[in-house]
Amino acid sequence: MATDQKVYLFDEVAKHNLIKDCWLVIDGKVYDVTPFMDDHPGGDEVLLAATGKDATNDFEDTGHSDDARDMMHKYYIGEIDKATVPLRRPYTPPKEVYNPDKTQEFIIKILQFLVPLLILGLAFGVRQYTKEKSG
């Protein structure tokens, strides 16, 4: 690594979140993994999911081999300005529509259970009825 390392702002790195242009932040270092997208054993989706954030935990939790860690040097392009990395992304819960009248949903679930039973019972009854007539 050279002594005059390029320092990137987090917002600049976060813009590189495409298959043809993918940068990751791992352990304070910036990596351009675009050439590795097709070769990554976990697929390109895994790398894309790690963009736009500090991917150190994602990388460490996966348990990469020593060979994978050695390979990272090839994709190293600089350092991240740690002051620009957000500590945590704010959690936004999914928008949930409150339905005070759950009776319609309950009735539908009951009917999904009872209608097949009714059809089965009707088929069984018809079979018994036709057996008695013919036998």
Side-chain angles (χ1 to χ4, degrees), residues 77 80 86 110 130:
I77 58 172
I80 191 75
I110 293 289
T130 55

Side-chain angles (χ1 to χ4, degrees), residues 59 63-73:
F59 182 80
H64 286 89
S65 66
D66 290 337
D67 290 338
R69 291 175 189 280
D70 291 340
M71 189 185 297
M72 290 173 63
H73 300 294

Side-chain angles (χ1 to χ4, degrees), residues 3-131:
T3 56
D4 56 332
Q5 300 159 345
K6 175 125 170 80
V7 177
Y8 294 94
L9 299 176
F10 180 79
D11 289 339
E12 182 182 353
V13 174
K15 291 177 186 174
H16 299 272
N17 59 0
L18 306 170
I19 291 177
K20 300 286 184 197
D21 183 25
C22 184
W23 291 11
L24 298 179
V25 176
I26 301 173
D27 204 24
K29 295 175 175 46
V30 180
Y31 299 92
D32 181 356
V33 295
T34 307
F36 188 60
M37 295 295 281
D38 292 333
D39 299 328
H40 188 263
D44 56 5
E45 307 88 24
V46 175
L47 296 174
L48 288 174
T51 60
K53 64 179 182 177
D54 183 348
T56 304
N57 288 339
D58 294 347
F59 182 80
E60 296 298 336
D61 289 347
T62 306
H64 286 89
S65 66
D66 290 337
D67 290 338
R69 291 175 189 280
D70 291 340
M71 189 185 297
M72 290 173 63
H73 300 294
K74 186 171 21 174
Y75 304 108
Y76 173 82
I77 58 172
E79 300 286 320
I80 191 75
D81 181 356
K82 293 184 181 179
T84 63
V85 178
L87 296 177
R88 286 192 180 265
R89 286 186 165 188
Y91 174 73
T92 53
K95 303 269 188 250
E96 192 171 321
V97 179
Y98 176 68
N99 183 4
D101 185 19
K102 299 260 186 196
T103 55
Q104 286 181 329
E105 291 176 19
F106 181 71
I107 290 172
I108 289 172
K109 286 183 181 182
I110 293 289
L111 288 176
Q112 286 176 336
F113 178 72
L114 291 179
V115 168
L117 283 178
L118 181 64
I119 292 172
L120 185 63
L122 185 61
F124 183 72
V126 167
R127 184 163 186 247
Q128 290 296 349
Y129 179 74
T130 55
K131 264 188 177 179

